[in-house]
């Protein structure tokens, strides 16, 4: 049984550009959460999607948006990239409190 | 708002020695408590969790943690560390109330194991 799959694994973008990160949840999970992990820091909650709607949002600007599809997969979009958006972006799927994390997408903004 | 403090940024132990990683939380009631481990370039793997009941929780890879309400702590322990335990460890809390199951993480403790 595949766990959480994230794509791409790495990417490099230029300041001001837009990026889309993708996440396929673990089979049986209906909820997807996104976290940003800056170098040397713990993950910070961006938002959570359930039944194709944003259920909860952390302290992130509107430049961060997301989507959940009927098959529970999810996208994270970041507009107008800043250097400070460089981080590891983790997707986690869950059913209840049973979280499974993906290996993340390493985003570098230059 | 809930928060998590991991006072030790970096800990070094010798292989075979015992280990204790500290975690303190701030929350109005008793939160749900978690310990995760992250190897370089990898996602997070759950070691153990506490929801209620017995305050000593057993996890995978020989780890255990003890919830102490009076100290708002949830320290992680292992009696004998193996070289493969070298990684970064994160303590996290979750709110039992509400529909969103959001985790709040500490800043992590990096564990180095000496041969």
């Amino acid at each position: 049984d595949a766990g959480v799959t994230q794509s791409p694994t790495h990417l490099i973008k230029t300041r001001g550009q837009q990026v889309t990160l993708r996440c396929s949840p673990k089979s049986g999970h209906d909820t997807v959460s996104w976290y940003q992990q800056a170098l040397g820091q713990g993950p910070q909650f961006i938002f959570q999607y359930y039944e194709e709607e944003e259920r909860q949002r952390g302290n992130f600007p509107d430049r961060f948006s997301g989507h959940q599809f009927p098959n529970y997969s999810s996208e994270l979009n970041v507009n107008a990239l800043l250097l400070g958006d460089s981080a590891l972006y983790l997707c986690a799927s869950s059913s209840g409190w049973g979280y499974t994390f993906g290996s993340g997408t390493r985003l570098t903004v230059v | 708002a809930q928060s998590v403090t991991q006072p030790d940024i970096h800990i070094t132990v010798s292989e075979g020695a015992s280990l204790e990683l500290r975690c303190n939380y701030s929350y109005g009631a008793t939160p749900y408590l978690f310990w995760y481990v992250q190897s370089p370039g990898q996602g997070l793997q759950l070691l153990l969790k506490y929801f209620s009941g017995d305050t000593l929780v057993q996890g995978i890879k020989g780890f255990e943690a003890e919830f102490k309400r009076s100290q708002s702590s949830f320290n992680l322990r292992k009696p004998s560390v193996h070289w493969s335990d070298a990684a970064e460890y994160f303590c996290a809390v979750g709110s039992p109330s509400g529909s969103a199951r959001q985790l709040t993480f500490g800043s992590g403790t990096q564990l180095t194991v000496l041969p």
Side-chain angles (χ1 to χ4, degrees):
Chain A
D1 175 32
V4 176
T5 304
Q6 291 187 245
S7 62
T9 54
H10 297 81
L11 76 164
I12 300 173
K13 289 288 189 177
T14 304
R15 264 184 311 176
Q17 284 188 317
Q18 179 265 343
V19 67
T20 297
L21 310 183
R22 295 176 175 83
C23 173
S24 293
K26 180 178 178 178
S27 176
H29 287 181
D30 57 7
T31 302
V32 173
S33 303
W34 288 92
Y35 290 80
Q36 180 195 65
Q37 186 178 17
L39 201 60
Q41 300 297 316
Q44 291 206 320
F45 176 75
I46 303 175
F47 42 54
Q48 184 178 91
Y49 277 84
Y50 173 72
E51 293 189 340
E52 301 181 51
E53 294 203 354
E54 184 181 287
R55 179 158 68 177
Q56 184 84 11
R57 187 177 185 92
N59 188 25
F60 279 81
D62 292 344
R63 298 187 297 109
F64 289 77
S65 63
H67 189 79
Q68 186 180 34
F69 299 94
N71 66 353
Y72 306 119
S73 67
S74 177
E75 290 182 348
L76 164 65
N77 301 291
V78 187
N79 294 323
L81 284 166
L82 304 174
L83 296 179
D85 295 331
S86 296
L88 180 68
Y89 288 84
L90 294 167
C91 172
S93 70
S94 59
S95 179
W97 281 100
Y99 265 75
T100 299
F101 282 84
S103 297
T105 294
R106 172 71 63 187
L107 172 64
T108 302
V109 182
V110 297
Chain B
Q2 57 202 35
S3 65
V4 179
T5 302
Q6 294 182 246
D8 304 305
I9 296 173
H10 195 175
I11 283 184
T12 300
V13 299
S14 298
E15 190 169 17
S18 63
L19 171 70
E20 182 169 26
L21 303 182
R22 296 183 291 165
C23 172
N24 292 96
Y25 66 88
S26 174
Y27 185 71
T30 299
Y32 291 163
L33 296 158
F34 307 81
W35 273 100
Y36 285 87
V37 61
Q38 185 178 38
S39 298
Q42 298 299 310
L44 300 166
Q45 181 183 22
L46 178 67
L47 289 175
L48 47 79
K49 60 183 182 287
Y50 174 79
F51 287 171
S52 65
D54 191 346
T55 57
L56 186 62
V57 180
Q58 301 298 319
I60 62 170
K61 304 185 179 185
F63 286 93
E64 66 177 27
E66 185 172 14
F67 168 60
K68 292 187 176 179
R69 186 191 311 272
S70 62
Q71 299 177 19
S72 296
S73 69
F74 189 57
N75 294 348
L76 182 71
R77 299 194 295 249
K78 187 170 186 178
S80 178
V81 170
H82 188 261
W83 64 266
S84 61
D85 293 326
E88 186 140 29
Y89 292 78
F90 293 95
C91 181
V93 301
S95 171
S97 62
S99 59
R101 293 170 176 86
Q102 165 189 345
L103 293 173
T104 300
F105 287 87
S107 55
T109 297
Q110 181 68 47
L111 174 65
T112 297
V113 180
L114 300 176

